[in-house]
Amino acid sequence: MSKSLSILLPTYNCVCTALVGELQRQCVAEGADFEIIVADDASPDKRFIAENRAIAHLDGVRYIERERNVGRSAIRNYLVSQSSKEWILFIDGDLSLNNAQLIHNYLQAEGDVVVGGISIVEDENRWGNNLRYRYEHASKEAISAENRRKTPYQHLSTNFMAHRKLIGTTPYNEEIKHYGFEDVLLGKHFKALNARINHIDNPVLFDDFEPNEVFLHKTEESLRTLSAFQTELKGYSNLLETAEKLHRMHIERVGAWLYKLLHKPLKHNLKGNNPSVFLFNIYKLVYFLHYNSIRK
């Protein structure tokens, strides 16, 4: 029996018209029983909201404009509450789609949860000096379908499909108010349910990268989230494992001290025109150790 599919897209200060148009086209071409629900989480730049209103005219598409920002977890749970189909596909509204078989592949795939993954645009001329572009490219091999299968519950990027019985009514932890790790905790939830996760090569495209300073700010926000939820995230973060090793060796205070000593020159590099992924990883560790030390 063919799957019925709710495709859920949260948006915030981004244009999703091309992405939604292509998703809708593929669903129609497949003859799928589908709905696409897009919810804008009170974007402060109203130009994005106005441009996205065009998608509401597409058959099978709903566009919801929220008046109050509720955050990454709560907006996803809200989308689930608005959906009605047996299977739920989550895709972030700021991604792109150059995969003409995305919907077909999901409809054919087996498993309680199917993770399609992310591909990274190749555009050195435009993005070569961008920190996130460099970081994502350095991580490409780690997020391949082959490598994702080795630790299946730890790679739940926001291009995945799950059966409604596993999703439930509030799959995302709404205690996470800020950026980072909401998908990771959902992967842990699926593991507790002993869900069958199938990692396939069925990517959406990551092709727009925020400025270095903005990415650095988001990274710091995610590290504060990691610190706040480190008990829940134990075993699901390599950085957390490194910090725990340093703690057992009684030298985590050295990392916190190094942050005070090095954070200005490190940030100068990371915000500049030739950012180092190696230094970015160092910065993440010492920032986390520093933040952890001042939380205690």
Side-chain angles (χ1 to χ4, degrees):
M1 187 173 68
S2 178
K3 298 182 177 84
S4 63
L5 188 61
S6 295
I7 305 175
L8 308 182
L9 291 89
T11 61
Y12 184 80
N13 271 6
C14 67
V15 176
C16 65
T17 52
L19 172 61
V20 172
E22 176 60 14
L23 287 168
Q24 193 263 2
R25 185 198 67 77
Q26 290 188 26
C27 287
V28 171
E30 289 291 323
D33 177 10
F34 79 98
E35 62 182 358
I36 300 174
I37 308 175
V38 180
D40 181 89
D41 195 17
S43 294
D45 191 332
K46 305 307 178 186
R47 292 173 298 177
F48 293 110
I49 297 174
E51 190 165 346
N52 285 333
R53 286 175 183 151
I55 63 177
H57 302 294
L58 297 172
D59 290 340
V61 177
R62 288 175 60 199
Y63 180 50
I64 302 169
E65 300 174 26
R66 302 274 286 173
E67 295 184 356
R68 181 174 66 89
N69 180 269
V70 294
R72 293 169 60 86
S73 293
I75 193 66
R76 285 162 171 77
N77 287 342
Y78 170 76
L79 281 162
V80 171
S81 76
Q82 297 298 301
S83 67
S84 63
K85 305 301 183 182
E86 181 183 15
W87 290 85
I88 292 174
L89 171 58
F90 274 108
I91 297 176
D92 278 349
D94 59 354
L95 296 169
S96 298
L97 190 53
N98 64 344
N99 175 0
Q101 298 296 310
L102 182 106
I103 297 300
H104 174 83
N105 292 340
Y106 271 129
L107 293 175
Q108 298 300 315
E110 297 182 355
D112 300 321
V113 180
V114 184
V115 184
I118 305 287
S119 62
I120 313 299
V121 71
E122 301 284 349
D123 193 346
E124 283 288 330
N125 289 334
R126 181 179 182 187
W127 297 111
N129 294 329
N130 181 275
L131 175 59
R132 184 156 197 183
Y133 177 82
R134 291 186 178 189
Y135 176 73
E136 297 292 348
H137 266 270
S139 307
K140 271 200 312 183
E141 185 176 346
I143 62 172
S144 68
E146 179 181 1
N147 279 321
R148 285 187 273 122
R149 293 184 190 112
K150 295 175 182 176
T151 51
Y153 296 100
Q154 297 188 21
H155 294 281
L156 205 71
S157 59
T158 310
N159 170 29
F160 72 90
M161 180 183 71
H163 197 280
R164 179 174 292 277
K165 68 182 180 184
L166 286 171
I167 285 288
T169 56
T170 54
Y172 286 96
N173 185 338
E174 294 191 16
E175 292 181 12
I176 297 181
K177 303 293 185 184
H178 303 291
Y179 183 80
F181 293 98
E182 68 279 350
D183 287 332
V184 179
L185 281 181
L186 184 56
K188 183 179 180 180
H189 172 69
F190 287 151
K191 184 176 183 180
L193 295 175
N194 200 30
R196 294 177 300 124
I197 293 193
N198 182 12
H199 285 271
I200 64 174
D201 186 16
N202 193 35
V204 290
L205 182 66
F206 194 1
D207 67 348
D208 192 20
F209 305 89
E210 59 269 72
N212 295 352
E213 187 168 1
V214 174
F215 179 52
L216 199 58
H217 174 77
K218 288 170 67 174
T219 299
E220 292 170 347
E221 188 175 352
S222 74
L223 292 169
R224 294 192 293 271
T225 299
L226 177 61
S227 178
F229 290 88
Q230 56 192 292
T231 300
E232 296 87 344
L233 289 164
K234 186 174 182 179
Y236 284 77
S237 163
N238 291 333
L239 189 148
L240 195 56
E241 289 182 12
T242 300
E244 288 173 350
K245 288 178 183 177
L246 295 176
H247 175 73
R248 290 193 297 269
M249 297 166 65
H250 305 288
I251 58 173
E252 76 270 26
R253 290 186 178 181
V254 174
W257 175 78
L258 284 172
Y259 173 81
K260 294 178 181 178
L261 181 68
L262 298 175
H263 75 278
K264 288 184 179 179
L266 285 174
K267 290 181 81 167
H268 179 75
N269 171 269
L270 298 175
K271 291 179 181 181
N273 290 326
N274 190 25
S276 164
V277 173
F278 173 76
L279 293 180
F280 178 58
N281 289 325
I282 295 295
Y283 181 79
K284 287 195 296 180
L285 177 60
V286 297
Y287 181 93
F288 178 80
L289 294 171
H290 165 72
Y291 184 76
N292 242 9
S293 71
I294 64 176
R295 281 188 70 238
K296 295 178 180 178

PDB file of all heavy atoms in Angstrom, residues 184-216:
ATOM      1  N   VAL A 184      19.204  15.551  17.625  1.00  0.00           N
ATOM      2  CA  VAL A 184      20.000  14.510  18.293  1.00  0.00           C
ATOM      3  C   VAL A 184      19.182  13.825  19.383  1.00  0.00           C
ATOM      4  O   VAL A 184      19.175  12.592  19.500  1.00  0.00           O
ATOM      5  CB  VAL A 184      21.291  15.119  18.885  1.00  0.00           C
ATOM      6  CG1 VAL A 184      22.101  14.042  19.599  1.00  0.00           C
ATOM      7  CG2 VAL A 184      22.135  15.770  17.795  1.00  0.00           C
ATOM      8  N   LEU A 185      18.463  14.612  20.180  1.00  0.00           N
ATOM      9  CA  LEU A 185      17.632  14.021  21.226  1.00  0.00           C
ATOM     10  C   LEU A 185      16.489  13.207  20.636  1.00  0.00           C
ATOM     11  O   LEU A 185      16.074  12.202  21.233  1.00  0.00           O
ATOM     12  CB  LEU A 185      17.078  15.113  22.142  1.00  0.00           C
ATOM     13  CG  LEU A 185      18.040  15.654  23.193  1.00  0.00           C
ATOM     14  CD1 LEU A 185      17.357  16.712  24.056  1.00  0.00           C
ATOM     15  CD2 LEU A 185      18.587  14.549  24.076  1.00  0.00           C
ATOM     16  N   LEU A 186      15.991  13.603  19.470  1.00  0.00           N
ATOM     17  CA  LEU A 186      14.961  12.796  18.818  1.00  0.00           C
ATOM     18  C   LEU A 186      15.533  11.445  18.386  1.00  0.00           C
ATOM     19  O   LEU A 186      14.862  10.410  18.505  1.00  0.00           O
ATOM     20  CB  LEU A 186      14.383  13.549  17.613  1.00  0.00           C
ATOM     21  CG  LEU A 186      13.220  12.860  16.888  1.00  0.00           C
ATOM     22  CD1 LEU A 186      12.075  12.540  17.840  1.00  0.00           C
ATOM     23  CD2 LEU A 186      12.724  13.733  15.744  1.00  0.00           C
ATOM     24  N   GLY A 187      16.784  11.438  17.906  1.00  0.00           N
ATOM     25  CA  GLY A 187      17.446  10.173  17.575  1.00  0.00           C
ATOM     26  C   GLY A 187      17.567   9.270  18.785  1.00  0.00           C
ATOM     27  O   GLY A 187      17.360   8.047  18.701  1.00  0.00           O
ATOM     28  N   LYS A 188      17.871   9.850  19.935  1.00  0.00           N
ATOM     29  CA  LYS A 188      17.947   9.075  21.175  1.00  0.00           C
ATOM     30  C   LYS A 188      16.578   8.499  21.529  1.00  0.00           C
ATOM     31  O   LYS A 188      16.467   7.352  21.994  1.00  0.00           O
ATOM     32  CB  LYS A 188      18.459   9.969  22.298  1.00  0.00           C
ATOM     33  CG  LYS A 188      18.647   9.254  23.626  1.00  0.00           C
ATOM     34  CD  LYS A 188      19.190  10.200  24.688  1.00  0.00           C
ATOM     35  CE  LYS A 188      19.364   9.467  26.022  1.00  0.00           C
ATOM     36  NZ  LYS A 188      19.897  10.363  27.077  1.00  0.00           N
ATOM     37  N   HIS A 189      15.527   9.274  21.300  1.00  0.00           N
ATOM     38  CA  HIS A 189      14.156   8.805  21.539  1.00  0.00           C
ATOM     39  C   HIS A 189      13.827   7.611  20.641  1.00  0.00           C
ATOM     40  O   HIS A 189      13.245   6.619  21.104  1.00  0.00           O
ATOM     41  CB  HIS A 189      13.182   9.955  21.285  1.00  0.00           C
ATOM     42  CG  HIS A 189      11.742   9.559  21.304  1.00  0.00           C
ATOM     43  ND1 HIS A 189      11.095   9.169  22.457  1.00  0.00           N
ATOM     44  CD2 HIS A 189      10.824   9.488  20.304  1.00  0.00           C
ATOM     45  CE1 HIS A 189       9.831   8.877  22.169  1.00  0.00           C
ATOM     46  NE2 HIS A 189       9.647   9.067  20.880  1.00  0.00           N
ATOM     47  N   PHE A 190      14.220   7.699  19.379  1.00  0.00           N
ATOM     48  CA  PHE A 190      13.967   6.583  18.458  1.00  0.00           C
ATOM     49  C   PHE A 190      14.714   5.328  18.903  1.00  0.00           C
ATOM     50  O   PHE A 190      14.214   4.211  18.754  1.00  0.00           O
ATOM     51  CB  PHE A 190      14.379   6.967  17.039  1.00  0.00           C
ATOM     52  CG  PHE A 190      13.448   7.949  16.369  1.00  0.00           C
ATOM     53  CD1 PHE A 190      13.929   8.835  15.412  1.00  0.00           C
ATOM     54  CD2 PHE A 190      12.108   7.976  16.672  1.00  0.00           C
ATOM     55  CE1 PHE A 190      13.081   9.732  14.784  1.00  0.00           C
ATOM     56  CE2 PHE A 190      11.245   8.877  16.051  1.00  0.00           C
ATOM     57  CZ  PHE A 190      11.734   9.760  15.111  1.00  0.00           C
ATOM     58  N   LYS A 191      15.919   5.515  19.433  1.00  0.00           N
ATOM     59  CA  LYS A 191      16.676   4.357  19.921  1.00  0.00           C
ATOM     60  C   LYS A 191      15.951   3.690  21.084  1.00  0.00           C
ATOM     61  O   LYS A 191      15.880   2.456  21.171  1.00  0.00           O
ATOM     62  CB  LYS A 191      18.079   4.769  20.338  1.00  0.00           C
ATOM     63  CG  LYS A 191      18.940   3.588  20.765  1.00  0.00           C
ATOM     64  CD  LYS A 191      20.366   4.006  21.093  1.00  0.00           C
ATOM     65  CE  LYS A 191      21.212   2.783  21.439  1.00  0.00           C
ATOM     66  NZ  LYS A 191      22.610   3.154  21.758  1.00  0.00           N
ATOM     67  N   ALA A 192      15.409   4.512  21.989  1.00  0.00           N
ATOM     68  CA  ALA A 192      14.673   3.960  23.126  1.00  0.00           C
ATOM     69  C   ALA A 192      13.462   3.162  22.667  1.00  0.00           C
ATOM     70  O   ALA A 192      13.059   2.197  23.339  1.00  0.00           O
ATOM     71  CB  ALA A 192      14.245   5.089  24.066  1.00  0.00           C
ATOM     72  N   LEU A 193      12.898   3.538  21.532  1.00  0.00           N
ATOM     73  CA  LEU A 193      11.752   2.826  20.974  1.00  0.00           C
ATOM     74  C   LEU A 193      12.173   1.633  20.117  1.00  0.00           C
ATOM     75  O   LEU A 193      11.313   0.916  19.590  1.00  0.00           O
ATOM     76  CB  LEU A 193      10.901   3.777  20.122  1.00  0.00           C
ATOM     77  CG  LEU A 193      10.219   4.932  20.869  1.00  0.00           C
ATOM     78  CD1 LEU A 193       9.519   5.860  19.892  1.00  0.00           C
ATOM     79  CD2 LEU A 193       9.234   4.408  21.906  1.00  0.00           C
ATOM     80  N   ASN A 194      13.489   1.446  19.970  1.00  0.00           N
ATOM     81  CA  ASN A 194      14.027   0.371  19.122  1.00  0.00           C
ATOM     82  C   ASN A 194      13.529   0.484  17.682  1.00  0.00           C
ATOM     83  O   ASN A 194      13.208  -0.522  17.029  1.00  0.00           O
ATOM     84  CB  ASN A 194      13.666  -1.006  19.709  1.00  0.00           C
ATOM     85  CG  ASN A 194      14.572  -2.107  19.178  1.00  0.00           C
ATOM     86  OD1 ASN A 194      15.730  -1.871  18.848  1.00  0.00           O
ATOM     87  ND2 ASN A 194      14.036  -3.312  19.083  1.00  0.00           N
ATOM     88  N   ALA A 195      13.464   1.709  17.200  1.00  0.00           N
ATOM     89  CA  ALA A 195      13.000   1.956  15.834  1.00  0.00           C
ATOM     90  C   ALA A 195      14.021   1.458  14.816  1.00  0.00           C
ATOM     91  O   ALA A 195      15.232   1.528  15.048  1.00  0.00           O
ATOM     92  CB  ALA A 195      12.763   3.455  15.631  1.00  0.00           C
ATOM     93  N   ARG A 196      13.530   0.983  13.701  1.00  0.00           N
ATOM     94  CA  ARG A 196      14.402   0.557  12.601  1.00  0.00           C
ATOM     95  C   ARG A 196      14.721   1.796  11.753  1.00  0.00           C
ATOM     96  O   ARG A 196      13.854   2.304  11.057  1.00  0.00           O
ATOM     97  CB  ARG A 196      13.732  -0.511  11.746  1.00  0.00           C
ATOM     98  CG  ARG A 196      13.485  -1.835  12.459  1.00  0.00           C
ATOM     99  CD  ARG A 196      12.746  -2.831  11.574  1.00  0.00           C
ATOM    100  NE  ARG A 196      11.443  -2.303  11.180  1.00  0.00           N
ATOM    101  CZ  ARG A 196      11.031  -2.173   9.919  1.00  0.00           C
ATOM    102  NH1 ARG A 196      11.824  -2.504   8.912  1.00  0.00           N
ATOM    103  NH2 ARG A 196       9.816  -1.710   9.656  1.00  0.00           N
ATOM    104  N   ILE A 197      15.967   2.240  11.821  1.00  0.00           N
ATOM    105  CA  ILE A 197      16.377   3.430  11.067  1.00  0.00           C
ATOM    106  C   ILE A 197      17.127   2.996   9.810  1.00  0.00           C
ATOM    107  O   ILE A 197      18.091   2.234   9.885  1.00  0.00           O
ATOM    108  CB  ILE A 197      17.247   4.372  11.920  1.00  0.00           C
ATOM    109  CG1 ILE A 197      16.411   4.964  13.060  1.00  0.00           C
ATOM    110  CG2 ILE A 197      17.832   5.484  11.062  1.00  0.00           C
ATOM    111  CD1 ILE A 197      17.061   6.128  13.781  1.00  0.00           C
ATOM    112  N   ASN A 198      16.676   3.502   8.685  1.00  0.00           N
ATOM    113  CA  ASN A 198      17.283   3.194   7.392  1.00  0.00           C
ATOM    114  C   ASN A 198      17.922   4.465   6.851  1.00  0.00           C
ATOM    115  O   ASN A 198      17.223   5.439   6.542  1.00  0.00           O
ATOM    116  CB  ASN A 198      16.214   2.671   6.428  1.00  0.00           C
ATOM    117  CG  ASN A 198      16.786   2.282   5.071  1.00  0.00           C
ATOM    118  OD1 ASN A 198      17.998   2.180   4.898  1.00  0.00           O
ATOM    119  ND2 ASN A 198      15.910   2.062   4.100  1.00  0.00           N
ATOM    120  N   HIS A 199      19.242   4.482   6.753  1.00  0.00           N
ATOM    121  CA  HIS A 199      19.960   5.627   6.179  1.00  0.00           C
ATOM    122  C   HIS A 199      20.184   5.378   4.696  1.00  0.00           C
ATOM    123  O   HIS A 199      20.786   4.372   4.314  1.00  0.00           O
ATOM    124  CB  HIS A 199      21.302   5.826   6.889  1.00  0.00           C
ATOM    125  CG  HIS A 199      21.172   6.428   8.247  1.00  0.00           C
ATOM    126  ND1 HIS A 199      21.163   7.784   8.467  1.00  0.00           N
ATOM    127  CD2 HIS A 199      21.023   5.850   9.470  1.00  0.00           C
ATOM    128  CE1 HIS A 199      21.035   8.029   9.762  1.00  0.00           C
ATOM    129  NE2 HIS A 199      20.944   6.870  10.395  1.00  0.00           N
ATOM    130  N   ILE A 200      19.673   6.289   3.870  1.00  0.00           N
ATOM    131  CA  ILE A 200      19.796   6.153   2.426  1.00  0.00           C
ATOM    132  C   ILE A 200      20.447   7.402   1.848  1.00  0.00           C
ATOM    133  O   ILE A 200      20.558   8.434   2.502  1.00  0.00           O
ATOM    134  CB  ILE A 200      18.426   5.898   1.758  1.00  0.00           C
ATOM    135  CG1 ILE A 200      17.485   7.105   1.947  1.00  0.00           C
ATOM    136  CG2 ILE A 200      17.784   4.624   2.305  1.00  0.00           C
ATOM    137  CD1 ILE A 200      16.162   6.982   1.196  1.00  0.00           C
ATOM    138  N   ASP A 201      20.878   7.286   0.608  1.00  0.00           N
ATOM    139  CA  ASP A 201      21.463   8.427  -0.107  1.00  0.00           C
ATOM    140  C   ASP A 201      20.345   9.120  -0.870  1.00  0.00           C
ATOM    141  O   ASP A 201      20.059   8.803  -2.017  1.00  0.00           O
ATOM    142  CB  ASP A 201      22.563   7.928  -1.054  1.00  0.00           C
ATOM    143  CG  ASP A 201      23.312   9.070  -1.730  1.00  0.00           C
ATOM    144  OD1 ASP A 201      23.195  10.219  -1.238  1.00  0.00           O
ATOM    145  OD2 ASP A 201      23.986   8.824  -2.739  1.00  0.00           O
ATOM    146  N   ASN A 202      19.691  10.068  -0.217  1.00  0.00           N
ATOM    147  CA  ASN A 202      18.532  10.760  -0.799  1.00  0.00           C
ATOM    148  C   ASN A 202      18.533  12.204  -0.300  1.00  0.00           C
ATOM    149  O   ASN A 202      17.637  12.647   0.418  1.00  0.00           O
ATOM    150  CB  ASN A 202      17.240  10.045  -0.379  1.00  0.00           C
ATOM    151  CG  ASN A 202      16.044  10.499  -1.193  1.00  0.00           C
ATOM    152  OD1 ASN A 202      16.157  10.789  -2.380  1.00  0.00           O
ATOM    153  ND2 ASN A 202      14.880  10.550  -0.542  1.00  0.00           N
ATOM    154  N   PRO A 203      19.557  12.965  -0.711  1.00  0.00           N
ATOM    155  CA  PRO A 203      19.816  14.240  -0.026  1.00  0.00           C
ATOM    156  C   PRO A 203      18.981  15.418  -0.516  1.00  0.00           C
ATOM    157  O   PRO A 203      18.497  15.474  -1.645  1.00  0.00           O
ATOM    158  CB  PRO A 203      21.295  14.487  -0.359  1.00  0.00           C
ATOM    159  CG  PRO A 203      21.467  13.877  -1.710  1.00  0.00           C
ATOM    160  CD  PRO A 203      20.607  12.636  -1.693  1.00  0.00           C
ATOM    161  N   VAL A 204      18.834  16.371   0.393  1.00  0.00           N
ATOM    162  CA  VAL A 204      18.507  17.745   0.029  1.00  0.00           C
ATOM    163  C   VAL A 204      19.821  18.509   0.006  1.00  0.00           C
ATOM    164  O   VAL A 204      20.838  18.028   0.496  1.00  0.00           O
ATOM    165  CB  VAL A 204      17.495  18.376   1.007  1.00  0.00           C
ATOM    166  CG1 VAL A 204      16.127  17.758   0.845  1.00  0.00           C
ATOM    167  CG2 VAL A 204      17.971  18.239   2.444  1.00  0.00           C
ATOM    168  N   LEU A 205      19.792  19.718  -0.550  1.00  0.00           N
ATOM    169  CA  LEU A 205      21.029  20.447  -0.821  1.00  0.00           C
ATOM    170  C   LEU A 205      21.213  21.617   0.141  1.00  0.00           C
ATOM    171  O   LEU A 205      20.313  22.439   0.321  1.00  0.00           O
ATOM    172  CB  LEU A 205      21.027  20.963  -2.264  1.00  0.00           C
ATOM    173  CG  LEU A 205      22.278  21.722  -2.727  1.00  0.00           C
ATOM    174  CD1 LEU A 205      23.489  20.805  -2.778  1.00  0.00           C
ATOM    175  CD2 LEU A 205      22.030  22.357  -4.099  1.00  0.00           C
ATOM    176  N   PHE A 206      22.387  21.675   0.728  1.00  0.00           N
ATOM    177  CA  PHE A 206      22.792  22.800   1.562  1.00  0.00           C
ATOM    178  C   PHE A 206      23.634  23.720   0.678  1.00  0.00           C
ATOM    179  O   PHE A 206      24.761  23.383   0.327  1.00  0.00           O
ATOM    180  CB  PHE A 206      23.593  22.271   2.746  1.00  0.00           C
ATOM    181  CG  PHE A 206      23.807  23.252   3.869  1.00  0.00           C
ATOM    182  CD1 PHE A 206      23.297  24.542   3.835  1.00  0.00           C
ATOM    183  CD2 PHE A 206      24.528  22.880   4.997  1.00  0.00           C
ATOM    184  CE1 PHE A 206      23.500  25.429   4.866  1.00  0.00           C
ATOM    185  CE2 PHE A 206      24.740  23.758   6.042  1.00  0.00           C
ATOM    186  CZ  PHE A 206      24.218  25.039   5.978  1.00  0.00           C
ATOM    187  N   ASP A 207      23.098  24.889   0.319  1.00  0.00           N
ATOM    188  CA  ASP A 207      23.788  25.722  -0.671  1.00  0.00           C
ATOM    189  C   ASP A 207      23.819  27.210  -0.324  1.00  0.00           C
ATOM    190  O   ASP A 207      24.177  28.043  -1.151  1.00  0.00           O
ATOM    191  CB  ASP A 207      23.156  25.537  -2.055  1.00  0.00           C
ATOM    192  CG  ASP A 207      21.739  26.082  -2.149  1.00  0.00           C
ATOM    193  OD1 ASP A 207      21.141  26.401  -1.096  1.00  0.00           O
ATOM    194  OD2 ASP A 207      21.218  26.176  -3.272  1.00  0.00           O
ATOM    195  N   ASP A 208      23.458  27.549   0.914  1.00  0.00           N
ATOM    196  CA  ASP A 208      23.484  28.951   1.317  1.00  0.00           C
ATOM    197  C   ASP A 208      24.046  29.020   2.730  1.00  0.00           C
ATOM    198  O   ASP A 208      23.503  28.399   3.649  1.00  0.00           O
ATOM    199  CB  ASP A 208      22.078  29.551   1.266  1.00  0.00           C
ATOM    200  CG  ASP A 208      22.097  31.062   1.401  1.00  0.00           C
ATOM    201  OD1 ASP A 208      23.159  31.674   1.151  1.00  0.00           O
ATOM    202  OD2 ASP A 208      21.056  31.641   1.749  1.00  0.00           O
ATOM    203  N   PHE A 209      25.131  29.753   2.891  1.00  0.00           N
ATOM    204  CA  PHE A 209      25.885  29.712   4.143  1.00  0.00           C
ATOM    205  C   PHE A 209      25.935  31.097   4.775  1.00  0.00           C
ATOM    206  O   PHE A 209      26.291  32.068   4.109  1.00  0.00           O
ATOM    207  CB  PHE A 209      27.301  29.182   3.881  1.00  0.00           C
ATOM    208  CG  PHE A 209      27.319  27.850   3.193  1.00  0.00           C
ATOM    209  CD1 PHE A 209      27.307  27.762   1.808  1.00  0.00           C
ATOM    210  CD2 PHE A 209      27.310  26.679   3.934  1.00  0.00           C
ATOM    211  CE1 PHE A 209      27.309  26.534   1.162  1.00  0.00           C
ATOM    212  CE2 PHE A 209      27.313  25.442   3.300  1.00  0.00           C
ATOM    213  CZ  PHE A 209      27.308  25.368   1.915  1.00  0.00           C
ATOM    214  N   GLU A 210      25.598  31.162   6.061  1.00  0.00           N
ATOM    215  CA  GLU A 210      25.576  32.427   6.757  1.00  0.00           C
ATOM    216  C   GLU A 210      26.985  32.995   6.897  1.00  0.00           C
ATOM    217  O   GLU A 210      27.971  32.266   6.826  1.00  0.00           O
ATOM    218  CB  GLU A 210      24.931  32.275   8.141  1.00  0.00           C
ATOM    219  CG  GLU A 210      25.610  31.299   9.076  1.00  0.00           C
ATOM    220  CD  GLU A 210      25.042  29.902   8.968  1.00  0.00           C
ATOM    221  OE1 GLU A 210      25.308  29.250   7.935  1.00  0.00           O
ATOM    222  OE2 GLU A 210      24.378  29.439   9.910  1.00  0.00           O
ATOM    223  N   PRO A 211      27.097  34.311   7.103  1.00  0.00           N
ATOM    224  CA  PRO A 211      28.423  34.919   7.321  1.00  0.00           C
ATOM    225  C   PRO A 211      29.129  34.290   8.517  1.00  0.00           C
ATOM    226  O   PRO A 211      28.488  33.753   9.432  1.00  0.00           O
ATOM    227  CB  PRO A 211      28.090  36.392   7.581  1.00  0.00           C
ATOM    228  CG  PRO A 211      26.763  36.605   6.938  1.00  0.00           C
ATOM    229  CD  PRO A 211      26.018  35.315   7.090  1.00  0.00           C
ATOM    230  N   ASN A 212      30.456  34.381   8.512  1.00  0.00           N
ATOM    231  CA  ASN A 212      31.258  33.722   9.547  1.00  0.00           C
ATOM    232  C   ASN A 212      30.853  34.132  10.956  1.00  0.00           C
ATOM    233  O   ASN A 212      30.751  33.291  11.858  1.00  0.00           O
ATOM    234  CB  ASN A 212      32.744  34.017   9.323  1.00  0.00           C
ATOM    235  CG  ASN A 212      33.262  33.418   8.033  1.00  0.00           C
ATOM    236  OD1 ASN A 212      32.569  32.656   7.373  1.00  0.00           O
ATOM    237  ND2 ASN A 212      34.486  33.767   7.669  1.00  0.00           N
ATOM    238  N   GLU A 213      30.626  35.418  11.164  1.00  0.00           N
ATOM    239  CA  GLU A 213      30.278  35.887  12.498  1.00  0.00           C
ATOM    240  C   GLU A 213      28.944  35.310  12.966  1.00  0.00           C
ATOM    241  O   GLU A 213      28.780  34.943  14.138  1.00  0.00           O
ATOM    242  CB  GLU A 213      30.238  37.415  12.534  1.00  0.00           C
ATOM    243  CG  GLU A 213      30.043  37.984  13.919  1.00  0.00           C
ATOM    244  CD  GLU A 213      30.296  39.480  13.986  1.00  0.00           C
ATOM    245  OE1 GLU A 213      30.615  40.091  12.943  1.00  0.00           O
ATOM    246  OE2 GLU A 213      30.185  40.039  15.095  1.00  0.00           O
ATOM    247  N   VAL A 214      27.982  35.210  12.051  1.00  0.00           N
ATOM    248  CA  VAL A 214      26.672  34.653  12.398  1.00  0.00           C
ATOM    249  C   VAL A 214      26.794  33.167  12.726  1.00  0.00           C
ATOM    250  O   VAL A 214      26.209  32.674  13.699  1.00  0.00           O
ATOM    251  CB  VAL A 214      25.671  34.870  11.241  1.00  0.00           C
ATOM    252  CG1 VAL A 214      24.343  34.175  11.536  1.00  0.00           C
ATOM    253  CG2 VAL A 214      25.456  36.360  10.996  1.00  0.00           C
ATOM    254  N   PHE A 215      27.573  32.438  11.926  1.00  0.00           N
ATOM    255  CA  PHE A 215      27.757  31.010  12.187  1.00  0.00           C
ATOM    256  C   PHE A 215      28.457  30.782  13.520  1.00  0.00           C
ATOM    257  O   PHE A 215      28.114  29.862  14.272  1.00  0.00           O
ATOM    258  CB  PHE A 215      28.550  30.369  11.043  1.00  0.00           C
ATOM    259  CG  PHE A 215      28.808  28.904  11.234  1.00  0.00           C
ATOM    260  CD1 PHE A 215      27.782  28.021  11.524  1.00  0.00           C
ATOM    261  CD2 PHE A 215      30.099  28.395  11.121  1.00  0.00           C
ATOM    262  CE1 PHE A 215      28.024  26.664  11.703  1.00  0.00           C
ATOM    263  CE2 PHE A 215      30.349  27.038  11.286  1.00  0.00           C
ATOM    264  CZ  PHE A 215      29.313  26.177  11.583  1.00  0.00           C
ATOM    265  N   LEU A 216      29.425  31.636  13.830  1.00  0.00           N
ATOM    266  CA  LEU A 216      30.129  31.504  15.103  1.00  0.00           C
ATOM    267  C   LEU A 216      29.173  31.738  16.274  1.00  0.00           C
ATOM    268  O   LEU A 216      29.201  31.016  17.281  1.00  0.00           O
ATOM    269  CB  LEU A 216      31.294  32.491  15.158  1.00  0.00           C
ATOM    270  CG  LEU A 216      32.399  32.215  16.178  1.00  0.00           C
ATOM    271  CD1 LEU A 216      33.024  30.845  15.969  1.00  0.00           C
ATOM    272  CD2 LEU A 216      33.469  33.300  16.106  1.00  0.00           C
TER     273      LEU A 216
END
